[in-house]
Amino acid sequence: MIVPDIIRMVQKEHEGAARKLDLNTTTISQVPFSGTVAGVDGGISIKKIPGVTLVLLRAVSTVMKYDAGELKRTEYIGMGEPVVIADELDVPGLHRLRKESSRALEACQRADMILLDGSLVLQPQDKPASTARKLYKEVMAKYTALYQELLDSGKVLAGVVEDSRASTLTGKNDTLVLSYKLKPGEMTESFEYSKHSREHPVLSDLPEEHAKRIRFFYYRPNNDLPIRVEYYDNGKFRPEDLAAWLTSLAVSPDYGIPAPIIEADLRAKIKIKEAEGYWASMGLKPRRERRPFR
C-alpha cells in the first residue's frame, strides 16, 4: 500500500468516527478580550556527560495588555540568561516544569489570564521513579500553589495543547476526528479531565479540591485544526467565554494558537548555536570537533 492510500484510509477512519460521535457543539461568540494575558513557555537544551546530565533552561512569560482585542503593550518576565542545572537523576522534564510553574506563579501577579503552552496537568510519563520523588513533590507543590492562587483570585488559568494526542473523546486521535466534526468557529462542550481523579496517576497527587476543577474542551477558532484547552474551573467564567477570548487572541486565519503563547515560545526557545556556545564555554565541545586528522 502506497503512502497516499494509507493517508486516505486514515482520513476515512477519522471521518467515520466523527459521524458516529454524539457530541454537543456550540458556536463561539465573537468577544474580544480586554485585560492582561500572560503566555508561559520554557526552552531546554540537554547535554549528557559521564555521570550527569546538564540541563540548560529558560522560562519566559510574555505579558500582553489588550483593549477590546487590540494589543496595547508587551512586557516580559524571565528574559535573562538561561540557567544550567546538573541533573544527576536524569529527569530534565521535571526541571523544566519546575521552572515554568514558577514563572506562571510570577505571572499571576501581573495578568488577568495565564496561558500555559501545553497541558495543565503533568503527564504520567513525567512522574519519576522513587529516586526523583523529592523533585516531583516540589513540582506538584508549585502546581498546587498555582491552582490555589487562581481559586483565590478568580483569574483565568488555561493550558493550550497544540498537538494533542489525547483519545479521551473518540478512542482515536481526538484532534483529527474533531476536525471532521467541528466547523471553524465552533467548540465542544466541557468535560472533566478525569472522571476518576483519585485513581489518576498524577491527579491523585493533588488535593481533591483542585483535581476535580480541571476540565477541558476542544475549539476550532479558524481554519486551523481543533485545539485542546485545559482549564482550571474556579467558577468565575464559562468555557464559552474562554473559547471566545482565546479566539480573539489568534493572529492568523490559519493558525489558532493565541499570540501570547507564540511570543513566549519564541522568547524562551534555546537555539542550537546558543546552546553550543554555553557548552563550549564550559569546555564541552562536541566529540566530532575533537576528532584528530581533520
Side-chain angles (χ1 to χ4, degrees), residues 8-9 60 99 138 155 160 162 190 196 200 209 242 275:
R8 281 192 290 270
M9 181 181 70
V60 173
K99 192 77 172 173
E138 183 181 341
K155 295 180 179 181
V160 180
E162 181 173 7
S190 174
H196 308 287
H200 189 277
E209 168 67 7
L242 178 55

Side-chain angles (χ1 to χ4, degrees), residues 108-172:
C108 288
Q109 309 306 315
R110 299 173 62 175
D112 306 305
M113 182 191 302
I114 297 89
L115 303 178
L116 306 186
D117 187 358
S119 180
L120 209 60
V121 178
L122 272 69
Q123 300 305 293
Q125 59 266 29
D126 293 323
K127 190 170 182 176
S130 57
T131 52
R133 289 292 291 177
K134 182 178 179 181
L135 177 58
Y136 172 75
K137 288 182 178 180
E138 183 181 341
V139 174
M140 293 299 287
K142 286 185 178 294
Y143 272 83
T144 299
L146 182 61
Y147 301 146
Q148 187 63 51
E149 173 68 28
L150 274 296
L151 183 61
D152 294 340
S153 68
K155 295 180 179 181
V156 179
L157 173 67
V160 180
V161 189
E162 181 173 7
D163 296 313
S164 173
R165 297 181 181 179
S167 56
T168 313
L169 301 182
T170 66
K172 297 182 181 294

Side-chain angles (χ1 to χ4, degrees), residues 216-244:
F216 75 93
F217 61 84
Y218 285 84
Y219 81 120
R220 192 172 187 180
N222 45 33
N223 297 324
D224 199 357
L225 290 171
I227 299 169
R228 179 181 170 104
V229 176
E230 300 170 6
Y231 68 99
Y232 185 84
D233 184 10
N234 56 17
K236 301 300 183 181
F237 61 92
R238 304 176 304 158
E240 295 86 352
D241 299 328
L242 178 55

